[in-house]
Amino acid sequence: MSVRSGAAMTVNFYTITDAANVVSKTLSSDTLQAIQNVDIYKPSSLDAPRLILGAFTNMMAKNYCYIEKFGRYYFITNITVTSAQRVIMDLQVDVLFTYAASIKECIGTAIRSESAGINKISDSKYPVNTCRYVLDVINYSRTPFTRNPSSPYILTTIGGDTT
């Protein structure tokens, strides 16, 4: 979905230190800077808009913003100052914080374990490095499988008590 230019609005700019993959960001009022008369630079979209505005104090320190008109939070991915002292900011929507309330209300089942200490979650992609095994070789003189001695069989069993 594209957005149109000419829609001057107020944008709240912040400096955050939270990682991008954190759902709840800390927006400090100490770093808040509200800028009015911000316009959309064409072409733009709601997910990755480009803003055009005048230069402001500490703008290079800002890395996050909220656009109330769109109801979304954004990471500032690039800042370009033009020769006319206009600023073009490239943004990328922060899906996690924008939809944090909905995400936190979700109920689900975890199928992956990111911690080695949690053994109650079966995780086939987690490498097993504490595997114990017992190797026994038992030769039988006669079995149902001895008809063709040139084709040996291997019997493998897993589980049970190995102590």
Side-chain angles (χ1 to χ4, degrees):
M1 179 176 188
S2 64
V3 290
R4 295 180 182 194
S5 130
M9 58 195 160
T10 300
V11 178
N12 293 330
F13 291 95
Y14 299 90
T15 302
I16 65 166
T17 57
D18 298 302
N21 63 352
V22 173
V23 174
S24 296
K25 308 291 190 293
T26 304
L27 301 180
S28 172
S29 59
D30 295 342
T31 67
L32 169 62
Q33 205 163 350
I35 304 297
Q36 298 176 349
N37 297 323
V38 177
D39 201 358
I40 298 297
Y41 188 87
K42 292 187 344 186
S44 279
S45 70
L46 283 175
D47 291 336
R50 298 183 84 195
L51 305 180
I52 187 163
L53 59 152
F56 62 92
T57 308
N58 295 328
M59 71 179 176
M60 298 308 266
K62 303 304 178 189
N63 59 2
Y64 203 75
C65 69
Y66 175 69
I67 303 176
E68 184 176 0
K69 191 170 201 165
F70 300 159
R72 295 176 186 209
Y73 293 88
Y74 295 92
F75 295 105
I76 299 171
T77 58
N78 190 44
I79 299 174
T80 305
V81 180
T82 68
S83 59
Q85 292 303 305
R86 300 295 286 169
V87 176
I88 299 171
M89 287 189 175
D90 296 311
L91 310 178
Q92 182 61 49
V93 69
D94 179 1
V95 178
L96 293 178
F97 195 46
T98 297
Y99 301 104
S102 298
I103 291 170
K104 290 176 183 178
E105 290 177 9
C106 290
I107 298 172
T109 303
I111 59 171
R112 296 295 320 273
S113 172
E114 67 180 29
S115 173
I118 301 173
N119 295 326
K120 295 182 178 171
I121 300 174
S122 175
D123 188 347
S124 63
K125 298 200 184 280
Y126 185 77
V128 178
N129 57 6
T130 58
C131 182
R132 296 183 335 166
Y133 65 91
V134 176
L135 176 63
D136 282 330
V137 177
I138 303 171
N139 290 316
Y140 295 97
S141 59
R142 289 198 51 71
T143 69
F145 308 109
T146 58
R147 293 186 185 148
N148 187 355
S150 65
S151 298
Y153 290 88
I154 298 174
L155 175 65
T156 303
T157 59
I158 299 174
D161 187 13
T162 59
T163 56

